[in-house]
């Protein structure tokens, strides 16, 4: 009976989403506050019923209710309890339900924490969010019902994809979805402004903290995904330029540009048109990512669904959202005042340059991701676009962006001079030069030298700026600290990504019993493989001791698992540290006790995720800056 | 009981909407104009701070201040203060909304609920197939005239692979309800499987009966098509399956299966001699590996439609296939030859490899990655240069 209640709760959520759009709209049109104010309670009820549905689905997994098709397809009695919970969003229907829940959660957060927004503006925003919610709830109910029952109940359920039976899956999708769906908030803010025909300070001021929080979640979600892929897929890679990864990276690039563009629009009344288009693009790319992942166009671990009906639904939704919002923009854009003026060398120009480079980078990823799909769908042949393309196109765009991000915070608003900047920064440029010359003695790898230079460049500028502000006392606030952290995060990421790519060592080798292989001074001794079994899998566990300068560092035990349903999995063993990771994965048995083994030495790889965490932290600091928490008191009005 | 719960959920929802309509939330009492004025003031304060920190040239400070004032003036011109009515909504509207929520949600539920009757389990622990069969038998001992229950029992036994018991149950169901097309098709299917997929005799008679009762029944048309193929009546088979296809919902699993079957039928009718292909493979140059795979009779009979993927991958290194052949099990003649013509990438061919492993995988989906239910076997490492023969068994 519970699944039927869950299904009905979803239907009630849809009914409330419809009412959330209709009643406040009538209220706003007829200036009837009693009807308009319903946007909040109707949203809360929508959230409540989605939460009920979600809890019921989770309960179905916990009690092994295989009469529910989704549970039977993605769980079994042997699945450890923790993965029964994460299995709720381990496949298509459940992840869509999680998506709807997170959208409702974001909306509730906006309704509760936007006390400084005029109620009329808030009602408009909640109406837009209600419209998006209708789209997702209809998608769930019409094509992806997670409560569908089976006519004949199986004795045992199927297996959750072993790749997804991991701590990473418990947190990666919810965090990524928080970011994806969070982009709906700036989108709703901008659409409400377009509908009202007023792109004013209120919209610009109050949409920025929401954008920053969404950006923080998106950053954290992508960082987690990269970390998960590294240790779970057994290839030792941290980014594959996989179309699904790109689908999350594109909105991240746009959200980064939007967070910067909003600050200029808000403070200096410039880039308004640009900001509007970025907010629309950010959410549109999030939807595009959903379309790519859910339509079955892509084949990867992320492609849960391959149902054309689902793809068609999302495509129509995408066309409506993008077409509708751009149409509204075209209709309303003529009403806004022109931007305030600024000189070629100014902070506004610096931020504009940052935006242009980020969007150029996004377009390069967009082209590399969609062009092969387009060719394939038109029957013009299959082409593969991988890291050679992205490295050749993306990196040259990001180098000037990295250079500019260190300088731009020193520039003055409206106008600055090269002379002033030269005088201000000549000391640290001297220091950077000295540090870089020292680095020349360490390596002759051009890419590593470039990365080291950019690392020193950004870090030195950021710390110098921080020191300057510290001396001025009144210049330190959460927004400023957030910016410094995020910029240092970029520098740390750049260094980690480049060094691990250039100096990482990868060996695919055959190892016999007691054989030793040496990589970068580390001796890997293969002590053989033993059989083992666990709750829902069994397999082989290797034993590899690692020595450095005759001292034992660690024993690594990579696994090759066979799940009870027959699905195989490679579980890498990693010895992590901030300076390097030692990574071992078992391949195939080659007879006479020998195995094929992958050994990796990954210098500074942890910096990649440390950089991501610093950017996340920076975005959160900026989102909670004092200026976004100032109360507008009645006396001030 | 379930509708009592629905009624409770509707009542709760309706009551909350009515309550919020009669007791509107507190308004914070400021409109867009006041908000923009307050923000304009804050921006001026922030500008003062920026001037103090040297983030803007002192000479341009006044200009920036004028910009803020100009922006505010424009915003005030654009926004209109609207007089808002705050009268409570009449009680009848609240009642109408509550009724609307109930009626609308129930209508949606009715429209979306699956058409088949679901037996909702009363216990959290599920019955096994055996337990279900025993329960049904007990029930039928008391209610032997229930044709639907006999039919379900037939299906349960069929799933338990107890074909004799399944056929007995179906026969009883047939005696009680001989004009049920769905039953006739299920019965025919079980009979045919019992006879090694032979539709001659009783099975095809039952299918014909089903088609007389319901000429457009897709499952009966499908069965009739299979019979036509076994009789080498390919045109007739295509006709029957196309007719069935027209009755199926586009995008449904059955629709997809039928499309696949039609595609295979088309291949079958246009198929050239396989031996010619084998010669072409050998002529492709470089080394080759002959792979022979033995299957158990059970697999051959039950998984004939599954995909068989046979590929070579490097014994040491990346597991990407160096050469791969993918066919349906029913089309597999017992051996295939892997060579450079089966390689995926021109610069990563079989001949370029040293030692390789040969993998044979049987998959219902044909997906590139191994899925639940797939069975697979991997050979020991062999040297490509030896042009070896590899024997594998999938049982």
């Amino acid at each position: 009976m519970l699944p039927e209640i869950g299904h009905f709760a979803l239907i009630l959520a849809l009914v409330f989403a419809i009412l959330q759009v209709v009643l406040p709209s009538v209220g706003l049109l007829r200036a009837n506050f009693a009807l308009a104010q319903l946007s909040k309670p109707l949203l809360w009820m929508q959230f409540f019923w989605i939460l009920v549905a979600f809890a019921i689905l989770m309960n179905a997994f916990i009690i092994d209710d295989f009469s529910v098709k989704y549970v039977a397809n993605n769980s079994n009695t042997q699945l450890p309890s923790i993965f029964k919970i994460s299995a709720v969003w381990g496949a298509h229907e459940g992840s869509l339900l999680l998506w709807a829940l997170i959208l409702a959660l974001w909306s509730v957060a906006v309704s509760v924490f936007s006390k400084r927004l005029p109620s009329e503006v808030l009602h408009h925003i909640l109406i837009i969010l209600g419209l998006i919610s209708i789209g997702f709830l209809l998608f769930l109910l019409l094509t992806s019902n997670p409560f569908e029952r089976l006519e004949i109940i199986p004795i045992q359920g199927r297996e959750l994809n072993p790749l997804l039976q991991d701590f990473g899956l418990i947190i990666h999708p919810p965090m990524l979805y928080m970011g994806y769906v969070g982009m709906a908030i700036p989108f709703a803010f901008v659409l409400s402004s377009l509908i009202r025909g007023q792109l004013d300070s209120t919209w610009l001021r109050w949409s920025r903290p929401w954008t920053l929080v969404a950006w923080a979640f998106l950053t954290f979600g992508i960082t987690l995904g990269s970390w998960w892929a590294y240790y779970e897929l057994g290839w030792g890679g941290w980014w594959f330029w996989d179309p699904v990864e790109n689908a999350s990276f594109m909105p991240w690039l746009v959200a980064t540009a939007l967070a910067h563009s909003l600050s200029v629009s808000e403070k200096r009344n410039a880039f308004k048109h640009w900001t509007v288009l970025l907010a629309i693009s950010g959410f549109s790319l999030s939807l595009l990512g959903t379309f790519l992942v859910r339509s079955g166009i892509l084949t990867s671990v992320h492609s849960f669904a391959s149902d054309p009906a689902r793809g068609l639904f999302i495509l129509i939704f995408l066309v409506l959202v993008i077409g509708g919002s751009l149409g509204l923009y075209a209709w309303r854009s003529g009403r806004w005042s022109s931007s305030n003026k600024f000189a070629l060398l100014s902070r506004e120009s610096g931020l504009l340059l940052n935006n242009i480079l980020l969007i150029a980078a996004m377009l390069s990823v967009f082209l590399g991701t969609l062009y092969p799909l387009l060719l394939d769908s038109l029957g013009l042949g299959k082409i593969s676009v991988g890291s050679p393309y992205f490295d050749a196109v993306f990196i040259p765009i990001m180098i000037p962006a990295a250079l500019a991000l260190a300088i731009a915070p020193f520039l003055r608003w409206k106008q600055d001079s090269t002379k002033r900047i030269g005088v201000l920064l000549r000391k640290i440029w001297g220091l950077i030069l000295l540090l870089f010359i020292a680095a020349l003695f360490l390596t002759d790898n051009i890419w590593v030298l470039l990365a080291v230079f950019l690392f020193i460049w950004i870090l030195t500028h950021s710390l110098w700026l921080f020191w300057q502000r510290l001396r001025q006392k009144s210049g330190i606030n959460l927004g400023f600290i957030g910016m410094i952290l995020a910029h240092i995060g970029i520098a740390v990421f750049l260094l980690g990504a480049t060094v691990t790519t250039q100096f990482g060592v990868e060996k695919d080798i055959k190892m016999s019993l007691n054989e030793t292989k040496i990589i970068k001074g580390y001796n890997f001794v293969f002590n053989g493989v033993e059989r083992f079994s666990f709750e829902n899998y069994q397999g082989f566990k290797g034993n590899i001791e690692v020595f450095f300068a005759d001292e034992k560092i660690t024993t690594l035990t990579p696994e090759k698992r066979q799940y009870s349903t027959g699905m195989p999995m490679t579980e890498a063993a990693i010895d992590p540290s901030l300076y390097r990771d030692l990574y071992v994965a078992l391949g195939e048995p080659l007879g006479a006790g020998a195995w094929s083994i992958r050994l990796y030495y990954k210098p500074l790889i942890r910096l990649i995720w440390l950089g991501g965490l610093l950017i996340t932290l920076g975005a959160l600091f900026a989102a909670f800056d004092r200026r976004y928490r100032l109360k507008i008191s009645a006396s001030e009005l | 009981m379930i509708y009592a719960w629905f009624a409770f959920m509707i009542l709760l929802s309706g009551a909350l909407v009515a309550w919020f309509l009669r007791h509107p939330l507190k308004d914070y009492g400021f409109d867009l104009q006041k908000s923009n004025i307050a923000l304009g003031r804050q921006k001026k304060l922030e500008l003062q701070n920026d001037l103090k920190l040297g983030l803007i040239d002192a000479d341009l400070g006044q200009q920036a201040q004028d910009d803020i004032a100009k922006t505010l003036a424009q915003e005030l011109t654009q926004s209109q203060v609207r007089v808002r009515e705050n009268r409570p909504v009449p009680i009848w509207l609240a009642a109408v909304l509550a009724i609307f929520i109930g009626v609308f949600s129930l209508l949606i539920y009715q429209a979306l609920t699956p058409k088949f009757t679901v037996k909702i389990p009363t216990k959290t622990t599920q019955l096994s197939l055996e337990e279900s069969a025993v329960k049904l038998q007990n029930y039928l001992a008391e209610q032997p005239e229930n044709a639907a229950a006999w039919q379900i029992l037939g299906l349960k036994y069929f799933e338990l692979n107890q074909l004799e018991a399944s056929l007995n149950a179906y026969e009883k169901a047939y005696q009680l309800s001989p004009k049920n097309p769905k039953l006739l098709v299920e019965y025919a299917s079980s009979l045919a499987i019992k006879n090694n997929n032979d539709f001659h005799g009783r099975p095809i008679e039952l299918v014909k009966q089903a088609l007389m009762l319901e000429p457009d029944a897709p499952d009966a048309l499908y069965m009739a098509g299979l019979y036509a193929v076994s009789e080498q009546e390919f045109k007739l088979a295509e006709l029957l399956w196309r007719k069935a296809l027209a009755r199926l919902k586009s995008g449904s699993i059955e629709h997809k299966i039928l499309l696949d079957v039609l595609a295979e039928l088309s291949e079958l009718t246009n198929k050239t001699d396989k031996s010619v292909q084998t010669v072409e493979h050998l002529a492709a140059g470089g080394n080759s590996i002959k792979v022979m795979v033995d299957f158990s009779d059970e697999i051959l009979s039950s998984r004939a439609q599954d995909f068989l993927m046979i590929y070579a991958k490097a014994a040491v290194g990346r597991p990407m296939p160096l050469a791969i052949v993918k066919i349906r099990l029913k089309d597999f003649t017992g051996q295939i030859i892997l060579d450079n013509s089966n390689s995926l990438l021109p610069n990563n061919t079989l001949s370029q490899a040293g030692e390789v492993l040969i993998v044979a995988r049987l998959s219902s989906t044909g997906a590139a990655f191994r899925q639940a239910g797939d069975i697979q076997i991997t050979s020991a490492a062999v040297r490509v240069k030896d042009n070896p023969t590899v024997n594998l068994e999938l049982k």
Side-chain angles (χ1 to χ4, degrees):
Chain A
M1 187 172 67
L2 274 176
E4 280 69 31
I5 292 176
H7 187 202
F8 195 67
L10 273 184
I11 291 170
L12 278 175
L14 173 68
V15 172
F16 277 111
I18 293 169
L19 289 176
Q20 183 191 329
V21 171
V22 176
L23 292 181
S25 298
V26 173
L28 287 170
L29 280 172
R30 303 183 65 176
N32 184 328
F33 176 74
L35 275 181
Q37 61 85 34
L38 276 179
S39 64
K40 280 192 198 179
L42 290 171
L43 162 69
W44 298 340
M45 281 186 270
Q46 187 213 136
F47 171 68
F48 172 73
W49 289 124
I50 296 177
L51 193 64
V52 167
F54 192 81
I56 287 174
L57 187 63
M58 190 175 279
N59 178 66
F61 271 93
I62 291 167
I63 65 166
D64 297 320
D65 185 354
F66 300 131
S67 71
V68 179
K69 188 178 171 186
Y70 180 67
V71 179
N73 282 341
N74 296 289
S75 179
N76 58 50
T77 51
Q78 291 175 304
L79 193 67
S81 301
I82 187 74
F83 297 132
K84 281 184 183 171
I85 292 172
S86 63
V88 175
W89 53 84
H92 173 78
E93 290 85 348
S95 65
L96 251 293
L97 181 58
L98 177 69
W99 191 288
L101 178 71
I102 289 175
L103 179 59
L105 185 67
W106 270 106
S107 307
V108 168
V110 171
S111 76
V112 172
F113 298 115
S114 295
K115 288 179 180 162
R116 296 158 200 91
L117 266 182
S119 52
E120 191 183 336
V121 176
L122 181 60
H123 299 323
H124 273 102
I125 291 166
L126 296 184
I127 288 167
I128 302 295
L129 289 170
L131 272 171
I132 299 168
S133 208
I134 289 172
F136 275 98
L137 287 167
L138 276 175
F139 185 42
L140 260 170
L141 286 166
L142 296 180
T143 72
S144 318
N145 178 13
F147 296 105
E148 191 180 333
R149 291 268 204 178
L150 285 170
E151 205 169 357
I152 297 160
I153 303 164
I155 308 161
Q156 179 60 288
R158 293 171 73 183
E159 187 71 90
L160 174 69
N161 187 341
L163 278 175
L164 309 179
Q165 290 181 36
D166 181 78
F167 175 73
L169 182 79
I170 300 174
I171 46 174
H172 162 55
M175 291 300 111
L176 194 62
Y177 286 6
M178 283 294 286
Y180 262 151
V181 184
M183 291 308 293
I185 307 300
F187 175 78
F189 269 79
V190 86
L191 246 64
S192 84
S193 292
L194 288 173
I195 290 168
R196 290 182 291 108
Q198 294 156 348
L199 199 69
D200 49 26
S201 303
T202 299
W203 166 69
L204 292 162
R205 170 64 60 107
W206 301 120
S207 68
R208 190 159 185 264
W210 294 106
T211 307
L212 286 166
V213 175
W215 184 52
F217 277 113
L218 204 50
T219 311
F220 190 50
I222 293 171
T223 306
L224 278 174
S226 164
W227 173 59
W228 174 78
Y230 167 72
Y231 73 77
E232 192 60 23
L233 295 184
W235 291 81
W238 53 273
W239 190 262
F240 301 91
W241 293 109
D242 173 271
V244 177
E245 290 172 327
N246 296 348
S248 64
F249 191 44
M250 288 187 281
W252 184 86
L253 288 166
V254 174
T256 311
L258 179 63
H260 289 85
S261 165
L262 269 170
S263 73
V264 184
S265 298
E266 177 204 343
K267 287 195 89 156
R268 295 289 166 255
N269 193 39
F271 308 171
K272 277 186 177 177
H273 290 263
W274 177 253
T275 304
V276 167
L277 289 173
L278 284 179
I280 292 172
S281 316
F283 184 59
S284 302
L285 285 168
S286 291
L287 282 183
L288 180 72
T290 314
F291 168 66
L292 291 178
V293 177
R294 307 286 160 205
S295 62
I297 281 184
L298 305 175
T299 305
S300 81
V301 68
H302 301 82
S303 300
F304 309 126
S306 55
D307 183 347
R310 291 173 181 169
L312 186 66
F313 188 102
I314 304 175
L315 196 60
I316 292 169
F317 190 50
L318 194 65
V319 168
L320 284 176
V321 168
I322 299 176
S325 48
L326 288 180
L328 196 59
Y329 167 73
W331 178 39
R332 292 292 205 184
S333 61
R335 297 178 59 152
W336 305 325
S337 56
S338 56
S339 290
N340 290 329
K341 289 186 176 122
F342 55 87
L344 189 62
L345 187 68
S346 62
R347 186 177 286 213
E348 288 92 328
S349 298
L351 287 164
L352 182 61
L353 178 68
N354 145 300
N355 265 241
I356 290 167
L357 290 170
L358 284 167
I359 296 308
M362 184 276 288
L363 289 173
S364 74
V365 178
F366 186 87
L367 189 68
T369 308
L370 290 194
Y371 184 63
L373 298 177
L374 189 68
L375 277 188
D376 193 15
S377 62
L378 294 175
L380 298 173
K382 287 182 187 291
I383 60 162
S384 176
V385 176
S387 62
Y389 162 81
F390 290 106
D391 291 347
V393 180
F394 185 79
I395 293 172
I397 299 171
M398 293 319 286
I399 290 170
L403 288 169
L405 80 82
I407 297 287
F410 289 94
L411 294 173
R412 284 178 163 172
W413 292 108
K414 293 190 87 67
Q415 190 174 355
D416 211 333
S417 69
T418 47
K419 189 180 168 190
R420 190 191 77 85
I421 290 293
V423 170
L424 184 70
L425 298 177
R426 65 185 171 198
K427 281 182 191 165
I428 61 163
W429 286 349
L431 177 67
I432 289 167
L433 190 64
L434 283 175
L435 288 169
F436 183 65
I437 289 168
L440 286 173
F441 290 99
L442 297 175
T443 178
D444 57 356
N445 183 308
I446 188 77
W447 292 108
V448 173
L449 282 173
L450 182 63
V452 169
F453 172 75
L454 288 173
F455 173 75
I456 298 169
W457 175 260
I458 298 170
L459 187 71
T460 318
H461 279 90
S462 299
L463 292 177
W464 175 246
L465 185 64
F466 188 75
W467 171 245
Q468 274 198 326
R469 287 287 185 94
L470 208 59
R471 284 194 309 178
Q472 288 174 303
K473 288 180 185 167
S474 60
I476 301 283
N477 51 42
L478 284 181
F480 176 75
I481 295 170
M483 178 193 73
I484 296 287
L485 279 176
H487 286 182
I488 292 177
I490 296 278
V492 169
F493 165 82
L494 276 174
L495 186 68
T498 312
V499 170
T500 200
T501 307
Q502 295 297 318
F503 288 159
V505 179
E506 176 184 333
K507 295 266 186 198
D508 288 314
I509 48 173
K510 176 180 177 180
M511 285 187 91
S512 301
L513 200 60
N514 299 325
E515 190 178 346
T516 300
K517 293 283 177 192
I518 303 171
I519 295 177
K520 290 279 177 184
Y522 290 93
N523 289 24
F524 293 80
V525 183
F526 180 55
N527 294 325
V529 166
E530 62 177 20
R531 284 185 177 275
F532 80 109
S533 62
F534 193 62
E535 285 177 26
N536 61 334
Y537 60 83
Q538 55 179 341
F540 297 99
K541 186 181 280 185
N543 182 300
I544 293 169
E545 287 181 315
V546 186
F547 296 86
F548 189 78
D550 292 333
E551 189 182 333
K552 185 176 167 185
I553 304 287
T554 184
T555 302
L556 295 170
T557 54
E559 294 173 10
K560 197 156 180 74
R561 298 175 181 172
Q562 187 85 23
Y563 280 77
S564 48
T565 50
M567 293 173 79
M569 263 292 293
T570 299
E571 198 72 14
I574 304 169
D575 179 48
S577 81
L578 198 58
Y579 309 107
R580 58 94 190 108
D581 271 19
L582 302 175
Y583 184 111
V584 179
L586 267 185
E588 304 287 341
L590 300 176
W595 280 70
S596 75
I597 288 176
R598 291 196 288 277
L599 300 175
Y600 299 85
Y601 167 77
K602 298 274 181 187
L604 299 188
I605 194 162
R606 300 274 145 180
L607 295 192
I608 291 170
W609 307 304
L610 178 66
L613 290 178
L614 284 172
I615 299 168
T616 305
L617 205 60
L620 288 176
F621 267 73
F624 290 98
D625 188 63
R626 187 172 164 270
R627 47 208 290 269
Y628 302 125
R629 289 178 285 123
L630 286 173
K631 282 200 172 173
I632 300 175
S633 63
S635 60
E636 196 178 351
L637 299 171
Chain B
M1 183 63 179
I2 187 78
Y3 281 95
W5 273 103
F6 290 176
F8 169 73
M9 292 162 80
I10 291 166
L11 276 174
L12 179 68
S13 304
L16 282 168
V17 172
W19 197 86
F20 279 112
L21 271 171
R22 300 296 297 169
H23 304 87
L25 292 169
K26 182 186 158 195
D27 186 16
Y28 294 104
F30 58 93
D31 57 32
L32 197 56
Q33 284 205 350
K34 288 175 182 171
S35 168
N36 284 333
I37 291 167
L39 286 173
R41 283 180 186 159
Q42 281 186 13
K43 280 199 269 187
K44 278 189 181 176
L45 290 174
E46 286 165 16
L47 178 64
Q48 298 304 321
N49 196 41
D50 285 353
L51 281 164
K52 205 164 82 179
L53 292 169
L55 294 178
I56 186 164
D57 193 287
D59 298 339
L60 294 167
Q62 186 55 47
Q63 194 186 333
Q65 195 153 335
D66 293 346
D67 287 344
I68 293 170
K70 194 176 82 184
T71 304
L72 179 60
Q74 283 167 346
E75 287 171 354
L76 294 179
T77 317
Q78 281 181 350
S79 57
Q80 307 148 355
V81 179
R82 300 176 70 186
V83 178
R84 288 179 298 179
E85 293 179 35
N86 203 8
R87 61 174 188 274
V89 174
I91 193 78
W92 64 263
L93 182 57
V96 166
L97 273 176
I99 293 166
F100 169 80
I101 290 167
V103 172
F104 193 47
S105 52
L106 283 172
L107 281 175
I108 297 174
Y109 184 77
Q110 285 300 324
L112 294 179
T113 305
K115 295 291 174 276
F116 61 80
T117 312
V118 175
K119 301 276 184 293
I120 299 168
T122 51
K123 291 193 292 182
T124 51
T125 49
Q126 308 303 318
L127 294 178
S128 68
L129 277 174
E130 289 89 345
E131 286 169 335
S132 303
V134 170
K135 281 215 156 196
L136 272 169
Q137 275 182 329
N138 292 340
Y139 170 79
L140 284 163
E142 293 171 12
Q143 304 282 337
E145 303 302 309
N146 188 333
W150 283 113
Q151 187 182 345
I152 293 170
L153 185 64
L155 191 63
K156 294 271 178 205
Y157 279 130
F158 179 78
E159 286 179 340
L160 287 164
N161 207 22
Q162 296 178 21
L163 284 177
E164 283 296 343
S166 169
L167 292 174
N168 284 337
Y170 276 129
E171 179 59 30
K172 287 197 171 113
Y174 176 69
Q175 297 298 334
L176 291 164
S177 175
K179 293 194 174 174
N180 176 349
K182 191 168 163 50
L183 165 68
L184 294 171
V185 173
E186 276 184 26
Y187 190 13
S189 173
S190 290
L191 271 170
I193 286 168
K194 174 81 180 4
N195 300 335
N196 292 324
N197 289 322
D198 185 355
F199 277 83
H200 286 91
R202 187 94 193 273
I204 193 61
E205 289 306 320
L206 288 167
V207 172
K208 281 179 185 170
Q209 281 180 42
L211 283 171
M212 283 171 71
L213 290 163
E214 194 181 332
D216 291 333
D219 43 0
L221 287 166
Y222 175 69
M223 293 278 183
L226 287 177
Y227 176 72
V229 169
S230 71
E231 293 293 294
Q232 306 281 310
E233 296 278 358
F234 299 129
K235 292 266 181 215
L236 176 62
E238 187 181 354
L239 196 74
L240 291 163
W241 285 342
R242 291 215 175 275
K243 196 174 171 187
L245 196 68
R247 296 278 297 165
L248 291 168
K249 192 180 161 194
S250 177
S252 66
I253 292 170
E254 292 83 0
H255 193 267
K256 279 187 213 159
I257 290 171
L258 216 47
L259 280 176
D260 283 349
V261 169
L262 277 165
E264 280 167 31
L265 184 68
S266 170
E267 271 179 33
L268 190 68
T269 49
N270 299 326
K271 197 154 68 174
T272 53
D273 188 353
K274 274 189 179 174
S275 59
V276 176
Q277 291 176 7
T278 309
V279 171
E280 281 171 1
H281 275 186
L282 288 171
N287 301 99
S288 65
I289 300 172
K290 188 189 210 178
V291 185
M292 304 173 80
V293 190
D294 275 346
F295 293 92
S296 66
D297 291 342
E298 189 191 340
I299 289 177
L300 283 172
S301 62
S302 63
R303 303 189 64 165
Q305 298 292 335
D306 283 9
F307 292 96
L308 174 65
M309 283 172 280
I310 299 174
Y311 61 91
K313 64 174 182 174
V316 175
R318 302 260 184 206
M320 177 183 266
L322 297 162
I324 183 165
V325 168
K326 179 177 167 184
I327 51 171
R328 296 249 182 207
L329 179 59
K330 66 183 178 56
D331 297 327
F332 182 58
T333 56
Q335 66 175 55
I336 56 102
I337 290 172
L338 290 174
D339 59 27
N340 291 347
S341 66
N342 310 122
S343 294
L344 299 171
L345 300 170
N347 56 355
N348 192 21
T349 60
L350 186 66
S351 293
Q352 290 168 325
E355 285 192 330
V356 295
L357 303 170
I358 304 299
V359 181
R361 183 194 304 157
L362 193 61
S363 164
S364 56
T365 61
F369 295 103
R370 194 171 172 184
Q371 308 288 314
D374 290 3
I375 51 173
Q376 176 174 308
I377 185 151
T378 306
S379 75
V382 291
R383 278 162 55 90
V384 177
K385 283 189 179 151
D386 298 341
N387 294 323
T389 297
V390 175
N391 290 294
L392 298 170
E393 281 188 7
L394 272 172
K395 301 287 185 193

